[in-house]
Amino acid sequence: MNGENLRPEAHAELFDGVNVIRTWLDNNAPEQTDSERVMMRVLKISEELGEVSEAVHGATGANPRKGESHTWADVEKELADVAVTALVALATVSPDARKSFDARLQTLVMRLTPPEVR
């Protein structure tokens, strides 16, 4: 897959969902300044990442005190939570999160595409 095969329109539905979550948070979170809102949403990514770490430890039984307390399905769910949380944070700081995401994804894919394929 090279960068030209990416279709930004494919992310429309994803960002529709992200914007539903962002709007709900905007309407239901405690009163915050814009900078507090951004800070809380970025910090939430760290919280979700901690949950991924806990799930990996649980899926592998790495903590002998807790044993196998999670499954790999739990890890998948937590990874999805990290991705959604990051996209909500992006939508909070960017006036066009989809465009920002698509541009960055394009750049990262192009880095992996040999020049002769571009």
Side-chain angles (χ1 to χ4, degrees):
M1 171 166 134
N2 65 39
E4 293 174 8
N5 291 333
L6 294 177
R7 295 176 301 113
E9 66 276 5
H11 303 125
E13 189 173 322
L14 171 69
F15 279 93
D16 288 346
V18 166
N19 284 321
V20 167
I21 295 168
R22 183 193 51 77
T23 300
W24 185 90
L25 288 169
D26 288 348
N27 293 330
N28 291 283
E31 192 166 325
Q32 300 170 323
T33 65
D34 289 344
S35 62
E36 289 170 333
R37 181 178 296 114
V38 168
M39 182 176 57
M40 290 299 110
R41 293 192 185 160
V42 171
L43 287 174
K44 183 71 174 169
I45 300 167
S46 297
E47 179 186 332
E48 295 297 340
L49 182 59
E51 293 175 15
V52 172
S53 298
E54 182 179 358
V56 168
H57 276 98
T60 60
N63 183 338
R65 186 175 56 80
K66 293 184 179 180
E68 291 185 14
S69 58
H70 291 75
T71 66
W72 286 103
D74 294 325
V75 174
E76 290 175 19
K77 178 185 107 23
E78 297 301 343
L79 284 169
D81 286 353
V82 170
V84 170
T85 302
L87 291 174
V88 169
L90 177 61
T92 301
V93 301
S94 173
D96 190 344
R98 184 175 145 202
K99 182 177 178 183
S100 297
F101 177 82
D102 289 338
R104 186 62 184 153
L105 182 60
Q106 179 88 16
T107 298
L108 294 171
V109 170
M110 290 301 290
R111 284 184 187 170
L112 303 174
T113 306
E116 62 275 6
V117 177
R118 290 185 210 159

